Amino acid sequence: VKFRISEFYQQYPKGKIRTSLMRFDRQNNNPGFVESVLIKAEVYRDDATLLAEAYSQRRCEPQEPSFFECAETVAIGRALSDAGYSVYSEDLGDDPCKRKIMLDDGSFYLKAGFRIAWARREMPQMLIRKEILLMTPYQAIVKATIENEGEVLATAHAMRVWSDAHAAGHFFLESAETAAVARALSMIGYDLPMGRTRQLFRSSCKCRLLYTTVRSRSNARIWNRTVSTILPDRCDVMPG
């Protein structure tokens, strides 16, 4: 992360990196003991121009006594990655779709990092916003919004739950955040092949955002969240 920070300040000497403690949870049987923290990091090109933001949650673990500092560092690193400071930007190449990997079902997938780097290369002033709609110790729902020059291009949502089946399952918030961003970028063509197909899609689609309300019942509580989808008013080529 320190190399990303250095690279960022080289490009933006007046840039700002700000962090905030969004919430902390105390242990039930020991109110004086903080069990987990949620940190938000924001990256600004100058005093007022936001480039990216990211969240990170960490719990107190025996093998990670500095969990607060760890959460803050991870949030900063993820925000800088969304701002374009990552290995994905360096490895993007002329045709980002060549970076797709084959999944177990035979389909091809472009990692979120490459989608972000690709979009950032074409839209240097792009802003990636995140909003946590639901956050519990075992579940997170995140909304991602892609903006460029004040215009909302797409929004998307993702949900992840805690899992002990693999290491990444402990970082369900970050996973939901990444998935939401990847889905939003996919909606504006950042997983389509280079060439005429993608050009037609990008140029002929006049996008309209539709919002609906989703209601879900859990433990006798009802929560509402806004889900958006992106629809073309007219589009000669739809993404496959």
Side-chain angles (χ1 to χ4, degrees):
V1 174
K2 65 179 180 181
F3 294 111
R4 297 182 194 180
I5 294 173
S6 176
E7 186 179 356
F8 167 72
Y9 282 124
Q10 286 178 13
Q11 183 173 1
Y12 298 111
K14 295 183 178 181
K16 308 291 183 183
I17 298 176
R18 299 170 180 167
T19 60
S20 305
L21 174 62
M22 304 303 294
R23 62 178 278 182
F24 61 89
D25 297 316
R26 300 181 186 274
Q27 199 173 57
N28 290 334
N29 58 358
N30 185 3
F33 183 80
V34 176
E35 191 173 41
S36 67
V37 295
L38 174 65
I39 302 291
K40 178 181 181 181
E42 298 171 305
V43 175
Y44 289 83
R45 191 176 67 221
D46 49 44
D47 286 335
T49 308
L50 182 65
L51 283 177
E53 59 188 12
Y55 294 88
S56 179
Q57 183 199 42
R58 286 296 183 272
R59 296 180 181 180
C60 180
E61 302 285 352
Q63 67 274 19
E64 195 173 59
S66 303
F67 69 100
F68 188 101
E69 294 90 329
C70 180
E72 187 173 61
T73 300
V74 169
I76 292 171
R78 290 177 59 82
L80 287 171
S81 179
D82 284 359
Y85 302 94
S86 71
V87 294
Y88 294 104
S89 300
E90 300 171 2
D91 298 337
L92 190 59
D94 295 331
D95 185 356
C97 280
K98 290 182 178 179
R99 300 298 183 186
K100 286 188 175 183
I101 59 174
M102 181 181 287
L103 302 179
D104 293 339
D105 61 1
S107 61
F108 289 90
Y109 177 78
L110 186 64
K111 289 184 176 181
F114 285 121
R115 299 186 200 189
I116 294 169
W118 187 2
R120 183 68 68 183
R121 185 169 69 183
E122 295 187 349
M123 301 183 291
Q125 308 308 316
M126 174 182 69
L127 170 60
I128 302 177
R129 291 188 182 275
K130 287 82 170 274
E131 180 183 358
I132 299 176
L133 301 182
L134 176 70
M135 185 71 197
T136 73
Y138 298 99
Q139 186 182 49
I141 297 177
V142 177
K143 173 184 176 181
T145 303
I146 308 298
E147 300 179 17
N148 188 45
E149 297 180 348
E151 179 184 2
V152 175
L153 302 181
T155 64
H157 299 74
M159 179 179 73
R160 292 292 185 272
V161 297
W162 184 91
S163 172
D164 205 20
H166 49 84
H170 291 201
F171 311 128
F172 57 93
L173 171 62
E174 292 88 335
S175 180
E177 188 180 84
T178 298
V181 172
R183 289 172 56 80
L185 289 172
S186 178
M187 290 178 180
I188 51 176
Y190 286 102
D191 61 351
L192 289 175
M194 300 285 283
R196 182 165 175 76
T197 299
R198 183 170 180 273
Q199 289 173 0
L200 284 171
F201 175 73
R202 295 293 304 282
S203 63
S204 65
C205 286
K206 181 182 179 182
C207 297
R208 180 176 70 253
L209 295 177
L210 300 180
Y211 296 90
T212 59
T213 300
V214 174
R215 296 171 67 88
S216 174
R217 186 180 299 272
S218 176
N219 296 328
R221 294 183 305 169
I222 297 178
W223 54 270
N224 295 330
R225 68 181 176 91
T226 301
V227 177
S228 63
T229 184
I230 191 168
L231 295 179
D233 285 341
R234 59 184 188 280
C235 189
D236 300 317
V237 179
M238 291 300 293

